[in-house]
Amino acid sequence: MKYTIKKISSALMLGSLAVLLLASCDKGFEDMNRNPNAYTEPVIGNLFTTSIVRTAGTGTNDRNRTNIKYFAGTMQYMASLGTNWSGDKNFENGQFGDLFFEIYNSHLPELQEAIAFTEGNPELVNHHAMASIWRVYVLHRVTDIYGDVPYTEAGQGYINQVHKPKYDKQSDIYPDMLAKLETAINQLDPSKPTFGINDVLYEGNTGKWKTFGYSLMLRLGMRLTQVDPALSRQWVEKAIAGGVMTSNDDIAKVDHTAGNGNTQNWDAFELKRESLPESNAGKGPVKLAKTLIDALQEGNDPRLPFYATLWEGNILSQQTAKLPATTNPAIQRGLPNGYDANSISDAIPGFSNDMLVEFSEPNTATLASLDAPSMILTYSEVEFLLAEAALRGWGPGTAAEHYNKAIAANMQSTSLYPVVTLSGGSSVISQSAIDTYLAAHALNTGGSFDAQMEQIYTQFWLAHFMYYDNFEAFSTWRRTGYPDLVPTNYPGNFTGGTHMLRLRYPIDEATLNTENYNAAVANQGPDLYTTPVWWDVD
C-alpha cells in the first residue's frame, strides 16, 4: 500500500512540476529530457569507415553475387558447371540487382550523411573532401554496371526524404563526377583535421587522397575515349598533371585479417564457403576458366602458381605441405566456360564428375586468402592507363615504358598478400622472373594502334585477376574490346549467344519507382543485358 501511495504522490509531484515548467516557458525542460549517453550528432568517422568496408564487401551480397558470380564468368576468369554462376553462361539467377540494392542501401546512406554534416564547415573540410571523393568511387561503379541510375538524388532518403529518386543520364553523371572529383581534390588541406584511423584506406593522409582522387579521375576520364574523345583527353591530361599514383605504396586497399567476419576478406570467405568448400574434395562445380589458364601457360606467366592450385592445395590443414606441388604450372587445367554437368561432355569427351579434381581452383593461400587485401584502385592499373594515354599522345613517356611498369607493379604487388611457398619458391615474384617475362612480352611498338591496345589490355586482364576487381575488368573490357573473348552460348541464355553488356535494374525498381524507372528505360533503351551503357559505343 505504501508503494502505491508513493507512486501516486510521485505522479502528483511530477504533474505539479510539469505545470511549473510550462509556466516558466519550459526553462531547462530539454536538458532534463536529453539522454547524456545518446549521440545527438552523426559520428562521421564511423559512417565513413562503414561505407568503405561495405564497398569492399564486408557483410554485403554485391561482391559474391555480382563481382564473382556474374563478372568472374563474364570475364572468363572462372567457370562453373552450376547454373547459378550467371556470367559463365549468361543465364539469369535473380541476383542481377544486388549491386544496385547494396550501393543505395548499404554503401551510400551513411556516407551521404557524413557529407551533409561536414558541408560548409572549414574545420571539417578534409572530411568533406574525402567523403566526396569516395562518393564518386561508390557511384561510378553502379552507373558503369547499370547505365542511367539515381545520382543527384541518391542517398537522400534520410536527409531529404527522397524515397523515389530520379535516374540521371549517364551522359550527365560522368561530367559531374569528374567535376566533383576536381573540387574535392582542391579542398584537401594538410593543415586541417582528417578522419585519422577511421580512414581505413590512408589513415587520413591528404597527400594520398589527392593521389587517389587524380588516379580515379584518370580512370573515369579514360572511360570516355569512345564516346567523347575531346572530353576524355581533357580529364586525362588534368589527372596526369595533378599527380597520379607512382608506386605500389599509393595503392588504395583495405587490409584484412582472418578470424572475424568484420575483418576477413569477404570475397575469399564467400568463395570458400559456397564455391570451394573443403568437403567437395575437389569435385565442386567452380574452377578457374580455361581461357585464363591457357593464356597464363602459353605466356610462361610467373603469376600462375600465385593464381592457381589443384584442390589439395586449398585444404587449410595441409596447405603448407601441398602447395609446392599443387601449384606446378604444368599440371594446371582450366574448365571451359558455358557448360553444365551434362553438356560438359560435348567439350571434354568422356568427362565424368571424378575428373573435376584435375581442374585448377583459385589459390586460397594467396589472392583468395581470408588475409588478402581488398584492392580498391592500384598503381598497376594507373600505369596501364598511362600506357594508353602515351599511345594516344595524351601523356608523358612512351607506351612501352608504362606497359612495363604496369606489369612489373602487378607482379611486385604479390608482396602485399600472404607470403607462402609455391611451386618454384616464394609467392612473391622475383625481379629476375619479372625481367624475363617482360623481355618475352615486350610491347610491339612498331605495330598498329589497335595491336598495341590489344597487348596492353590483354595484360591488364591477366593482371587484374590478382585484384579480384571484376567490376573494373568488365568495364575496361567493354570500353576497349580486349582481350578478344569468345562469347558462350548456353541454351536459354539471356543474350542470344552474344556478350553481356550491363546488368538489369532490380525488379523492385519497376514497381516501387515506376515513373523514374520508365524514364530511364525510355532514354537508355530496353532494360536488357545487351543494351550498352552510354560510354560503351562499340
Side-chain angles (χ1 to χ4, degrees):
M1 190 71 177
K2 289 181 179 179
Y3 178 72
T4 304
I5 291 173
K6 284 184 178 180
K7 287 176 67 178
I8 295 172
S9 299
S10 297
L12 289 171
M13 291 176 64
L14 287 172
S16 301
L17 179 59
V19 172
L20 290 172
L21 288 169
L22 288 170
S24 60
C25 299
D26 297 337
K27 184 177 181 181
F29 188 75
E30 289 184 1
D31 290 336
M32 290 180 64
N33 285 276
R34 182 180 293 115
N35 182 352
N37 298 314
Y39 290 109
T40 58
E41 295 179 347
V43 183
I44 55 174
N46 291 353
L47 297 177
F48 190 60
T49 305
T50 297
S51 180
I52 293 176
V53 298
R54 293 296 188 220
T55 303
T58 302
T60 63
N61 293 323
D62 55 306
R63 298 285 301 192
N64 182 48
R65 294 181 178 179
T66 52
N67 185 51
I68 297 178
K69 287 184 180 177
Y70 270 92
F71 301 136
T74 299
M75 295 310 301
Q76 298 181 18
Y77 285 141
M78 299 177 70
S80 174
L81 298 182
T83 56
N84 65 329
W85 271 62
S86 300
D88 176 75
K89 300 172 180 61
N90 291 335
F91 193 76
E92 189 170 277
N93 71 358
Q95 297 174 340
F96 51 85
D98 284 9
L99 174 65
F100 188 102
F101 178 85
E102 292 291 354
I103 282 178
Y104 291 112
N105 290 277
S106 179
H107 306 180
L108 193 62
E110 290 88 353
L111 181 65
Q112 198 66 46
E113 189 173 350
I115 289 172
F117 182 78
T118 57
E119 188 169 11
N121 187 331
E123 287 304 303
L124 300 179
V125 65
N126 286 323
H127 301 76
H128 186 76
M130 292 171 185
S132 297
I133 292 171
W134 188 247
R135 184 180 189 271
V136 172
Y137 182 87
V138 168
L139 288 174
H140 98 275
R141 291 198 310 158
V142 71
T143 187
D144 283 345
I145 301 305
Y146 294 94
D148 294 359
V149 292
Y151 176 75
T152 54
E153 295 182 352
Q156 298 292 321
Y158 176 77
I159 298 171
N160 294 317
Q161 288 71 56
V162 178
H163 301 295
K164 295 183 179 182
K166 70 174 184 177
Y167 284 55
D168 295 87
K169 297 177 182 179
Q170 191 178 67
S171 57
D172 295 330
I173 293 173
Y174 254 82
D176 192 74
M177 287 194 300
L178 287 160
K180 282 188 166 49
L181 263 182
E182 183 176 32
T183 297
I185 291 168
N186 289 334
Q187 288 176 335
L188 290 167
D189 184 347
S191 70
K192 299 289 186 179
T194 70
F195 283 111
I197 60 172
N198 288 112
D199 168 14
V200 293
L201 294 182
Y202 294 121
E203 295 188 349
N205 186 315
T206 55
K208 294 291 187 183
W209 270 94
K210 181 173 288 190
T211 300
F212 172 65
Y214 279 122
S215 300
L216 182 56
M217 183 185 292
L218 176 65
R219 174 193 281 186
L220 301 187
M222 200 63 84
R223 199 82 92 218
L224 309 180
T225 53
Q226 303 301 319
V227 70
D228 193 337
L231 185 64
S232 177
R233 179 171 188 168
Q234 172 191 330
W235 285 105
V236 166
E237 291 179 341
K238 188 173 292 189
I240 294 171
V244 295
M245 294 181 182
T246 58
S247 76
N248 282 338
D249 290 339
D250 295 328
I251 289 176
K253 62 184 175 68
V254 177
D255 291 322
H256 295 290
T257 303
N260 184 295
N262 290 323
T263 62
Q264 65 195 5
N265 186 300
W266 198 260
D267 285 350
F269 170 76
E270 286 292 291
L271 194 64
K272 184 77 172 177
R273 177 190 67 81
E274 185 176 13
S275 302
L276 304 172
E278 296 183 2
S279 59
N280 281 346
K283 297 181 182 180
V286 178
K287 299 290 180 175
L288 290 179
K290 176 178 171 59
T291 307
L292 177 65
I293 294 296
D294 286 357
L296 293 165
Q297 286 177 329
E298 290 167 7
N300 293 317
D301 198 307
R303 289 168 291 203
L304 184 49
F306 188 89
Y307 286 174
T309 178
L310 296 189
W311 72 276
E312 290 179 299
N314 277 339
I315 304 299
L316 296 181
S317 63
Q318 59 185 33
Q319 258 184 342
T320 301
K322 294 288 185 179
L323 281 173
T326 60
T327 56
N328 183 343
I331 63 175
Q332 303 309 317
R333 188 179 182 186
L335 190 69
N337 288 98
Y339 296 93
D340 60 26
N342 294 316
S343 64
I344 187 63
S345 59
D346 295 336
I348 306 175
F351 181 88
S352 70
N353 196 60
D354 289 340
M355 293 171 62
L356 281 169
V357 298
E358 302 171 9
F359 291 86
S360 304
E361 299 179 350
N363 192 335
T364 62
T366 55
L367 82 166
S369 167
L370 296 176
D371 292 303
S374 290
M375 297 299 196
I376 304 301
L377 202 157
T378 66
Y379 168 55
S380 174
E381 177 186 338
V382 167
E383 285 292 352
F384 279 118
L385 296 174
L386 290 176
E388 180 182 350
L391 190 61
R392 293 180 179 275
W394 297 356
T398 68
E401 290 169 348
H402 292 296
Y403 167 89
N404 287 342
K405 287 181 180 179
I407 296 171
N410 177 254
M411 293 186 180
Q412 289 162 354
S413 67
T414 52
S415 65
L416 302 177
Y417 293 78
V419 178
V420 294
T421 301
L422 306 175
S423 175
S426 172
S427 58
V428 179
I429 298 176
S430 69
Q431 189 60 48
S432 62
I434 295 171
D435 293 340
T436 300
Y437 185 84
L438 291 176
H441 297 273
L443 184 65
N444 179 15
T445 55
S448 67
F449 175 87
D450 288 340
Q452 292 183 71
M453 283 286 287
E454 182 171 14
Q455 261 192 285
I456 291 168
Y457 284 105
T458 297
Q459 285 292 336
F460 179 99
W461 171 73
L462 289 170
H464 229 67
F465 179 64
M466 184 184 296
Y467 302 140
Y468 255 50
D469 184 5
N470 303 323
F471 295 120
E472 187 55 30
F474 179 52
S475 292
T476 298
W477 167 76
R478 283 179 292 160
R479 178 180 71 84
T480 66
Y482 301 119
D484 185 10
L485 302 174
V486 177
T488 61
N489 195 12
Y490 185 77
N493 69 83
F494 51 66
T495 63
T498 63
H499 287 300
M500 177 172 64
L501 300 178
R502 63 181 285 274
L503 292 183
R504 289 176 53 209
Y505 297 119
I507 294 174
D508 286 351
E509 282 296 290
T511 56
L512 300 180
N513 195 10
T514 307
E515 182 179 348
N516 293 313
Y517 166 86
N518 288 339
V521 172
N523 174 67
Q524 181 167 265
D527 188 13
L528 301 174
Y529 297 94
T530 52
T531 297
V533 300
W534 168 72
W535 53 253
D536 181 16
V537 297
D538 292 330

